């Protein structure tokens, strides 16, 4: 994988986020947002950059500081403790950024006490559905109008043991 950095979004990311969204293929836009967003609205960009006590948003940036992936979580909605969504730029897909961002989001969620994770995935998004099966073999998947509602358990102990209790050398 080329050199990337994962960090929390900042208000200064607004123009980079707009470029990132506009650069996604229509297919990738549709898989993430369930519609095309070739001219991203200011409201969508603000939503993706929002961070507060219920929302976390991360980006992966390349060596030039350009956004190549975005991930967000929201606590308190739906049928899970935390809901997540991730999108990776077309040229960066298949290099492990999606799972890396999911891992970072779920680490934060586990620290805040979340026990379940949920996400809505388009039925045709085979790559993400395979990832879900690999990460959470016992996940509950319910098909609803062409989307798959995924709910899975977060292994809090494993996250805390692997990220906090084991020193990294």
């Amino acid at each position: 994988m080329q050199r990337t950095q994962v960090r929390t979004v900042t208000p200064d990311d607004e123009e980079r986020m707009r470029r990132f969204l506009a650069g996604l293929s229509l297919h990738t836009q549709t898989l993430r947002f369930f519609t095309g967003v070739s001219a991203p609205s200011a409201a969508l960009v603000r939503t993706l950059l929002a961070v507060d006590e219920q929302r976390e948003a991360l980006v992966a940036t390349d060596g030039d500081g350009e956004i190549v992936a975005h991930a967000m979580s929201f606590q308190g909605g739906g049928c899970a403790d935390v809901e997540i969504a991730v999108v990776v730029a077309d040229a960066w897909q298949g290099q492990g950024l999606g799972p890396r961002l999911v891992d970072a989001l779920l680490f934060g969620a586990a620290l805040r006490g979340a026990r379940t994770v949920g996400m809505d995935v388009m039925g045709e998004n085979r790559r993400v559905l395979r990832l879900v099966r690999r990460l959470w073999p016992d996940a509950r998947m319910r098909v609803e109008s062409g989307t798959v509602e995924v709910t899975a358990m977060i292994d809090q102990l494993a996250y805390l043991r692997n990220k906090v209790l084991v020193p990294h050398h």
Side-chain angles (χ1 to χ4, degrees):
M1 179 185 344
Q2 298 176 38
R3 192 159 179 81
T4 57
Q5 175 188 4
V6 172
R7 62 172 174 77
T8 300
V9 298
T10 70
D12 292 340
D13 286 323
E14 187 171 336
E15 189 52 41
R16 282 184 290 272
M17 180 60 70
R18 193 177 319 285
R19 285 194 302 270
F20 167 69
L21 293 171
L24 297 173
S25 70
L26 179 60
H27 179 71
T28 296
Q29 291 173 0
T30 303
L31 290 178
R32 166 58 180 91
F33 300 103
F34 297 23
T35 188
V37 291
S38 57
S41 70
L44 174 61
V45 172
R46 278 193 306 274
T47 298
L48 296 177
L49 296 178
V51 176
D52 58 28
E53 53 281 339
Q54 290 186 309
R55 289 180 285 216
E56 182 177 10
L58 304 172
V59 290
T61 57
D62 65 11
D64 297 324
E66 288 300 309
I67 296 172
V68 296
H70 176 269
M72 61 189 300
S73 65
F74 177 81
Q75 291 185 295
C79 58
D81 295 335
V82 65
E83 300 208 14
I84 63 171
V86 178
V87 62
V88 177
D90 295 77
W92 289 80
Q93 292 177 10
Q95 297 183 41
L97 275 179
R100 188 170 153 201
L101 288 165
V102 168
D103 191 50
L105 286 176
L106 293 184
F107 171 63
L111 282 176
R112 291 185 298 278
R115 295 181 6 198
T116 57
V117 59
M119 65 193 82
D120 290 328
V121 180
M122 286 193 72
E124 68 185 71
N125 198 341
R126 301 285 183 230
R127 178 180 274 171
V128 169
L129 293 173
R130 280 193 304 273
L131 175 66
V132 166
R133 279 287 174 225
R134 192 174 79 235
L135 294 177
W136 303 291
D138 297 328
R140 193 184 97 235
M141 295 187 177
R142 189 174 70 110
V143 178
E144 176 91 19
S145 302
T147 66
V148 181
E149 261 183 32
V150 177
T151 307
M153 296 300 294
I154 297 172
D155 186 349
Q156 291 173 304
L157 186 59
Y159 271 101
L160 298 178
R161 185 181 313 117
N162 291 333
K163 302 289 185 174
V164 176
L165 302 177
V166 176
H168 295 274
H169 299 283

